[in-house]
Amino acid sequence: MKQTLTAIGISLMLYGCAATTETVKPKAFSDKYSYAYNVANQTALTANKSKLKDFTKKEIDELKKVDLVGGSAGSASMLFGTLSLLTGDFASAAVNLSGGIVADLSAKKHSSGYSRFIVTNTLSNDNESDEIASTIRKAILDTLPNGYKIERISFRGSIVDFIVGGKCDSVSALNLNFENDAFYSIKSEDINPELNWCLSGGYESFAQIPMFSNYQSNLYHTVTSNYGFDSGRAPYGTIDFNGILKAMNIDINVVNYNELIKEISSKLPKTYYFYKTNFSKTVNKNTNKIVTLMDVMPAIFNNGVMYNFIETE
């Protein structure tokens, strides 16, 4: 069933990497692909030499041998924890250990390397983009414990969402002027080593102006997408696993990350999807160091359900 799909084209800066508008050519749903891959096929997630794919049953069996799927605590997990401390690069180790089955999508300058929302609403102006961002922000807030809140802190040319509650400290309470500071240059330990800043994932930049265009997709709704929403100004950022799980005092691991996204997606309208790349990365705002999760399997989340990129039998 073809429907109009609205594309948002923006310029994105994430960890110093630029992304530009990509041409989207939606493909018809096919029984040989998983539901996750069929959804991704409506965006540029699978275009332009993308490494995103459906895993075969044989590949899953091979990954299980090194405990990369189907378990949260095994020899591979401990090995990667050690490698992370020694080299900071267990993603490459996972790829090598699995015989090249797994591609580290997040290491590439491709849209499939960034987790983001896909929202099936028609978008024609920036106010509607703000409404979508508010809906996502509320779903995250509703997932947090009672009494928590989300502060929107203005840095030079951008606004960033911070969680306040539990062990997560308020940024606004410091009464500091951040207007002359870029977001990526600020870390809490420089202000006070005892501070804990927790990001929710919300980020917008005044310098990034969305542009809109429409094309036909094969989803059941009218889709608004800049190839699935970049982690920039369109219209939310992403889900920051490090910040939200830390705020909830939950261990930061793949299982808890997946459960978190399922919970957030269950609180969103059915027209909201979330694409999760593998080896997900975020920034710890206490240290400004990049945190990588040993997250082998990409997935699509919708209405509280997780859809894996695994070939149908």
Side-chain angles (χ1 to χ4, degrees), residues 223-249:
V223 176
T224 298
S225 172
N226 58 323
Y227 49 89
F229 288 145
D230 293 315
S231 301
R233 174 62 188 92
Y236 200 75
T238 183
I239 294 176
D240 191 302
F241 62 87
N242 182 73
I244 300 177
L245 291 176
K246 184 165 61 175
M248 299 174 72
N249 198 26

Side-chain angles (χ1 to χ4, degrees), residues 69-81:
V69 295
S72 59
S75 57
S77 298
M78 290 184 284
L79 168 63
F80 296 138

Side-chain angles (χ1 to χ4, degrees), residues 144-145 148 165-168 198 241-252 256:
L144 294 167
Y148 283 56
K167 295 182 179 179
C168 301
C198 303
F241 62 87
N242 182 73
I244 300 177
L245 291 176
K246 184 165 61 175
M248 299 174 72
N249 198 26
I250 295 175
D251 290 341
I252 299 171
N256 289 339

